[in-house]
Amino acid sequence: MIEFEFDNDNIFQADSNLQRVDGSSQEALSVRCPHCLHVGTFLTETGGLQWIKYLKGESKTKARFINAFMRVCPNPKCNGVIFTLSSTSEFVRVLPPELIDFDASELPAKLLSTLEEAISCHAAGAYRASAMMVRRLLEEICDESGAAGKDLHARLVALRSKITLPEELFDAMGELKALGNDAAHITAINYSQIGKGESEDSIELAKEILKSRYQLKSLVDRLRARKIKSKP
């Protein structure tokens, strides 16, 4: 997705030419609905607004038109309303923001709440807060699994004897702990920055850890239940 830098970085504030526009000629947008988490093609429902934003360091002849419209999720079971800002097909902002998809089945309530908070922080652009919530998720996995220790490092070591996971996921926990530590402190030790990419990767790794710890057995059991029973 394209990101532009504007002289006035408040994209909701028009630099000039604020006007009403007809929504019938606007392109449909394919986005993930922040309400039902399904990807859909969103059409404009009403007329909208258009304004000009001046690009940073450029002449005013290279300004961008920003289009703002209300749209409704095409999923009839959802009907969630979103607000979109767009300038090109590659520049789209959605409010409420799009959320990273995940499977909530079989997850303990406390862990589910923490994962949802990490994803909400990411969607809001609070990437350090998201990394800190993923670190908290590790603490809760240790607590739920009975892995004790004087600090998170010791608890993660103890966790290896409490649960069965691929070695790569245990290693990933160490990286997530380090990322969360850097997010919580002024001086970074392990990561030079904590931005969108780091936040997304930490959430994806957390999802894989949760899947392996809490959801894989249920998935296998469901598959086995569909097997043809042996004849007597």
Side-chain angles (χ1 to χ4, degrees):
M1 182 181 294
I2 294 176
E3 290 290 342
F4 298 112
E5 288 190 53
F6 301 108
D7 277 340
N8 172 6
D9 59 8
N10 182 358
I11 195 172
F12 295 96
Q13 188 173 32
D15 291 338
S16 67
N17 289 47
L18 176 62
Q19 59 185 322
R20 297 183 183 277
V21 290
D22 180 19
S24 61
S25 62
Q26 291 295 308
E27 292 184 4
L29 293 179
S30 178
V31 299
R32 184 181 301 281
C33 177
H35 306 291
C36 68
L37 302 183
H38 291 141
V39 175
T41 301
F42 287 68
L43 304 175
T44 55
E45 294 297 318
T46 62
L49 294 174
Q50 183 183 81
W51 60 88
I52 284 179
K53 293 294 293 182
Y54 297 128
L55 294 174
K56 189 173 184 178
E58 300 285 350
S59 68
K60 291 185 178 181
T61 59
K62 294 186 178 180
R64 289 285 177 176
F65 282 103
I66 304 297
N67 302 301
F69 290 95
M70 302 296 291
R71 301 171 188 258
V72 178
C73 179
N75 178 4
K77 295 181 179 179
C78 175
N79 288 323
V81 176
I82 66 172
F83 178 71
T84 63
L85 297 178
S86 61
S87 178
T88 68
S89 59
E90 292 83 22
F91 177 75
V92 178
R93 299 262 181 96
V94 178
L95 295 173
E98 295 181 72
L99 300 174
I100 293 175
D101 192 17
F102 70 98
D103 180 6
S105 63
E106 311 295 333
L107 297 183
K110 182 186 295 186
L111 275 67
L112 174 58
S113 176
T114 301
L115 177 62
E116 288 177 334
E117 188 166 346
I119 290 173
S120 295
C121 288
H122 167 271
Y127 302 127
R128 284 176 293 182
S130 176
M132 291 169 65
M133 294 311 300
V134 170
R135 186 189 186 284
R136 178 187 174 91
L137 190 66
L138 300 181
E139 297 262 13
E140 292 174 346
I141 292 173
C142 289
D143 185 63
E144 194 273 340
S145 303
K150 65 178 182 178
D151 54 26
L152 182 55
H153 176 77
R155 298 183 76 186
L156 289 177
V157 172
L159 186 65
R160 291 173 178 263
S161 64
K162 297 290 185 179
I163 64 174
T164 301
L165 290 177
E167 188 67 23
E168 292 82 1
L169 292 183
F170 281 121
D171 292 341
M173 288 184 179
E175 292 300 323
L176 296 177
K177 175 183 72 71
L179 186 67
N181 288 345
D182 280 2
H185 297 94
I186 296 175
T187 303
I189 299 175
N190 302 284
Y191 291 87
S192 59
Q193 68 173 5
I194 300 175
K196 183 178 181 181
E198 290 78 12
S199 174
E200 287 180 357
D201 288 347
S202 69
I203 290 172
E204 291 300 327
L205 282 172
K207 286 165 54 179
E208 292 302 315
I209 292 167
L210 292 172
K211 182 188 296 183
S212 184
R213 174 70 179 93
Y214 298 102
Q215 298 170 322
L216 186 58
K217 183 179 183 302
S218 177
L219 180 61
V220 173
D221 288 344
R222 289 202 303 271
L223 180 61
R224 286 174 176 164
R226 296 187 181 97
K227 290 175 66 175
I228 300 174
K229 294 182 179 180
S230 300
K231 295 181 180 180

